[in-house]
Amino acid sequence: MVKEVFIGVDGGGTKTLTLAVNNEGKELSRHVSPCSNYHSVGEDLAKASIYEGIRFVLNQIKRENEDKEEDVQVKSICLGMSGVDREEDKKMVIGWISELLGPNVPCKIYNDAIIALASGTDGHLFGIVVICGTGCISLGFNKDGQTTRSAGWGPLLGDYGSGYQIGYDILRHVLRAKDETGPKTSLTKVLLERLNLTKEDSLISWAYDPKNQNWQKFAQLSTLAFEQANAGDEIAILILNDAANALFEYISSIVKKLNLANEPFPLIFAGGNIERKSMFSDLLIEKIKAAYPNADIKIPNREPVFGAALLALNNN
Ligand SMILES: Nc1ncnc2c1ncn2[C@@H]1O[C@H](COP(=O)(O)OP(=O)(O)OP(=O)(O)O)[C@@H](O)[C@H]1O
């Protein structure tokens, strides 16, 4: 007897998640290994992390099926990889997989936003995903298989609507209030408390700290805007509304480019800032519903790695 296994990999910027499912899409095993974005960690470490995940899930399934004397066979694998967009990059990763699993196992490599879409569409590449975490991106497919994306350029190149941008806007408005060039906001008090600072001047050392330069520290401030918007602060509401407008524009550009406006299509929300209900997600939903009543908005209850595993299953 042969046990058929389908593998999904979510190779993110901080960790790599590997998931094996059976031919009904039921989870069999999962593993977390280090980052596999080869732009950040280099080819050797990226490959080692992917191999660690695949070997772990296969060994676990083999151990659990020892007494049934079943051979475990990988039928198909799909990897959603951050930083893998160019054809040369994809060929390199396909080469790694064929070295490990042999050349006959079907292998698909996608941008990580695509597996987030697939997690909300049962592994089908149709519809739009909007992701708002530290950065943001929107991407879609129409029924003819045409695809396009918007945003995802990174904070330096203007990802308005991202968690980074919300955090940056909080700082900007707090400093405008301090300079008395903008209205007072309750964000000032909560921002200083969050960062353990006593006055706005200290924000300079926090922001420019050479030992702590990353986008995440700005993005992590976004929850302050959520809290203060709920408490009625008008600046916090303005910040969320601006960000929701930006995300709406990305979605809108995709609807237009893929000609989706006149048919029902799934619209998947993903990323820490919109994957749970809040005033921010409500503002975005309101804008989408008003313009595109055919959009079926969903927050998937499965992780992106599930999308990768289902894409592997459907590619079999
Ligand atoms: N309730 C919450 N719990 C955790 N994070 C939240 C919450 N609400 C908003 N966030 C925001 O979600 C962000 C992280 O989201 P996520 O984990 O999707 O991002 P990421 O993987 O770092 O970014 P990217 O997808 O751009 O690589 C944080 O910046 C955080 O401020």
Side-chain angles (χ1 to χ4, degrees), residues 10 12 16 72 118 124 159 179 201 203 212 249 308-309 312:
D10 179 0
T16 302
V72 174
H124 298 291
D159 272 348
D179 287 341
D201 299 25
L203 286 168
N212 186 13
E249 280 174 10

Side-chain angles (χ1 to χ4, degrees), residues 131-136 216 219-223 226 271-273 276:
I131 306 179
C132 180
T134 299
C136 63
Q216 283 87 354
Q220 280 158 4
L221 301 176
S222 71
T223 49
F226 292 10
N273 287 297
R276 54 186 77 75

Side-chain angles (χ1 to χ4, degrees), residues 185-187 190 223-234 236-237:
T185 162
S186 60
L187 286 165
V190 293
T223 49
L224 298 176
F226 292 10
E227 274 164 41
Q228 296 310 303
N230 277 340
D233 183 78
E234 285 187 8
I237 295 171

Side-chain angles (χ1 to χ4, degrees), residues 159-217:
D159 272 348
Y160 290 99
S162 63
Y164 168 81
Q165 185 68 37
I166 296 173
Y168 173 74
D169 275 357
I170 293 172
L171 291 159
R172 195 166 61 82
H173 281 285
V174 163
L175 294 174
R176 273 169 58 79
K178 154 88 176 145
D179 287 341
E180 298 182 23
T181 53
K184 283 198 185 320
T185 162
S186 60
L187 286 165
T188 302
K189 182 165 178 286
V190 293
L191 176 69
L192 295 178
E193 275 170 11
R194 166 80 71 92
L195 302 180
N196 245 331
L197 304 174
T198 50
K199 52 186 190 323
E200 289 92 327
D201 299 25
S202 311
L203 286 168
I204 296 179
S205 324
W206 178 83
Y208 296 108
D209 180 357
K211 290 196 227 78
N212 186 13
Q213 281 297 321
N214 60 61
W215 309 116
Q216 283 87 354
K217 75 172 182 182

Side-chain angles (χ1 to χ4, degrees), residues 72-132:
V72 174
Q73 190 185 357
V74 180
K75 291 292 286 177
S76 170
I77 180 165
C78 169
L79 299 93
M81 309 282 297
S82 69
V84 174
D85 279 311
R86 298 175 310 154
E87 280 312 307
E88 307 93 274
D89 296 341
K90 288 184 185 169
K91 278 195 187 130
M92 176 182 74
V93 179
I94 289 174
W96 297 347
I97 299 298
S98 108
E99 227 177 90
L100 183 69
L101 299 177
N104 298 326
V105 175
C107 172
K108 285 272 183 200
I109 313 288
Y110 291 115
N111 172 293
D112 52 352
I114 294 181
I115 63 170
L117 171 68
S119 70
T121 60
D122 290 332
H124 298 291
L125 293 184
F126 171 62
I128 297 180
V129 63
V130 56
I131 306 179
C132 180

